[in-house]
Amino acid sequence: MTAALALLRRCWWAIPIVALAAGWLVDRARLGDVRRTLANERASWTAEIARADAARLSAERDYAARLSTATATYADRLAARQPIIIRSTNTVRDYAATPAGRAVCLGADRVRGIDALDAELSDDPDPAGGRGGAVHPDPDAPPAGR
């Protein structure tokens, strides 16, 4: 035992060096593990970003295709559409030429007759049917529709 103590007194400095070397080896292994973990995370994030970019480009491409299709469809419908006024006027003329349309559609002389009737009714001295004067609005009443 004395020989071991004598050896320990001579080589006491080797103990801290061995402890430092062992700590360095453990730290090196842990650092390698951390580096591998970071590399794996970086690779997964890079792949995820690439997938997101591909999805975004696909969505933009699909939107552009839908937009061009919708624009072409709208342009085709617009080109195929007849002007509404001409079509309506022609429809009224065709309907007025039929026997049922002649009875319903008014000619210019009948329109003038209705205007004359309106003028006669507006000249009536008692438009309220003999019940007295016109109803005056209430100034304190709230405005209608509000």
Side-chain angles (χ1 to χ4, degrees), residues 30-85:
R30 193 176 46 133
L31 182 61
D33 186 45
V34 168
R35 284 184 180 162
R36 280 189 300 279
T37 303
L38 282 175
N40 290 341
E41 286 181 8
R42 187 174 293 138
S44 68
W45 276 107
T46 303
E48 191 65 32
I49 289 171
R51 277 193 295 270
D53 284 343
R56 181 181 51 84
L57 289 174
S58 175
E60 287 176 0
R61 197 176 321 116
D62 292 345
Y63 173 74
R66 284 194 310 270
L67 182 65
S68 65
T69 302
T71 304
T73 304
Y74 178 72
D76 291 343
R77 286 183 185 170
L78 196 60
R81 192 181 297 171
Q82 294 178 358
I84 295 173
I85 296 171

Side-chain angles (χ1 to χ4, degrees), residues 69-125:
T69 302
T71 304
T73 304
Y74 178 72
D76 291 343
R77 286 183 185 170
L78 196 60
R81 192 181 297 171
Q82 294 178 358
I84 295 173
I85 296 171
I86 293 172
R87 195 162 111 198
S88 297
T89 304
N90 288 341
T91 303
V92 169
R93 282 187 196 141
D94 294 343
Y95 182 68
T98 64
R102 274 188 229 111
V104 177
C105 295
L106 300 177
D109 55 335
R110 287 188 65 190
V111 172
R112 286 188 197 102
I114 290 173
D115 289 341
L117 180 63
D118 287 342
E120 287 176 18
L121 290 175
S122 66
D123 292 339
D124 188 11

